[in-house]
């Protein structure tokens, strides 16, 4: 395994594990508390991480394979996220853990097999204001943005 890919995969695995542990520890009451920033319940926000952020690996695959990334605005992204939240308003803890585990494993496994050249391939991401590498995309979408969602979930539970 490539050293850089291994390091990134370990960071992603640690994040996946943190999200899973948090969700596993949620009570029924915690599950329904609303995250202030997202205006979604904790359970819906957790599902968003697993189904949205962890699946950003598909965008990384597009970059690695040289395919053009879809042009999407922040408004479109927010609309898709809110639609996902609406459709999954009644998600269960078991369902969300399944999504998190399945998509988290696929993400980590994919990243672990990348080369330096693949991590450094770039694609145009309008939301980021220009070119991003596959590694930067995963760090931004999964670790940074997903990490913000996790922090919001923890804050909701603590309130």
């Amino acid at each position: 395994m490539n050293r850089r890919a291994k390091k990134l995969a370990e960071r992603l695995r640690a994040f996946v594990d943190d999200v899973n542990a948090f969700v596993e520890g949620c009570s029924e009451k915690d599950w329904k508390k609303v995250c202030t920033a997202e205006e979604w319940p904790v359970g819906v926000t957790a599902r968003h991480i697993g189904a949205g952020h962890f699946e950003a690996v598909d965008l990384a695959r597009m970059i690695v394979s040289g395919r053009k990334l879809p042009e999407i605005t922040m408004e479109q992204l927010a609309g898709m996220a809110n639609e996902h939240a609406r459709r999954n308003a009644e998600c269960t803890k078991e369902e969300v853990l399944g999504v998190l585990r399945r998509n988290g494993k696929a993400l980590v496994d994919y990243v672990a097999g990348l080369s330096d050249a693949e991590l450094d391939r770039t694609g145009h991401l309008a939301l980021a204001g220009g070119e991003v590498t596959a590694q930067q995309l995963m760090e931004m979408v999964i670790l940074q943005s997903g990490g913000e969602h996790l922090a919001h979930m923890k804050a909701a539970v603590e309130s």
Side-chain angles (χ1 to χ4, degrees):
M1 181 186 312
N2 174 327
R3 195 185 79 211
R4 265 182 59 207
K6 180 180 178 185
K7 185 176 177 180
L8 179 57
E10 287 171 354
R11 289 173 56 210
L12 292 167
R13 180 174 289 119
F15 179 68
V16 168
D17 290 348
D18 286 349
V19 175
N20 288 341
F22 174 80
V23 168
E24 288 167 355
C26 281
S27 68
E28 181 82 19
K29 183 178 177 184
D30 293 339
W31 196 247
K32 295 179 181 182
K33 288 185 176 181
V34 176
C35 299
T36 304
E38 293 81 0
E39 299 181 350
W40 305 330
V42 166
V44 172
T45 306
R47 192 178 195 296
H48 172 75
I49 292 171
H53 292 267
F54 289 178
E55 287 190 351
V57 71
D58 292 338
L59 297 175
R61 283 186 178 105
M62 291 176 76
I63 291 173
V64 168
S65 69
R67 290 181 290 160
K68 184 179 181 208
L69 294 174
E71 292 291 327
I72 187 166
T73 66
M74 188 55 82
E75 293 79 22
Q76 289 170 316
L77 187 63
M80 289 186 299
N82 285 324
E83 176 60 20
H84 175 266
R86 186 192 63 71
R87 281 192 330 264
N88 294 284
E90 301 300 321
C91 60
T92 66
K93 186 172 163 178
E94 298 313 313
E95 172 204 346
V96 172
L97 281 168
V99 170
L100 289 167
R101 289 176 181 142
R102 181 177 55 255
N103 293 348
K105 180 180 181 337
L107 164 69
V108 171
D109 289 349
Y110 175 74
V111 170
L114 294 175
S115 67
D116 284 350
E118 290 168 326
L119 288 170
D120 291 336
R121 286 204 182 119
T122 61
H124 182 79
L125 185 64
L127 287 173
E131 297 294 306
V132 295
T133 67
Q135 180 169 348
Q136 288 170 328
L137 177 109
M138 289 182 283
E139 289 171 337
M140 286 186 310
V141 174
I142 298 161
L143 298 174
Q144 181 183 344
S145 183
E148 290 170 4
H149 287 306
L150 179 57
H152 298 159
M153 292 187 308
K154 288 179 177 180
V157 167
E158 292 171 1
S159 65

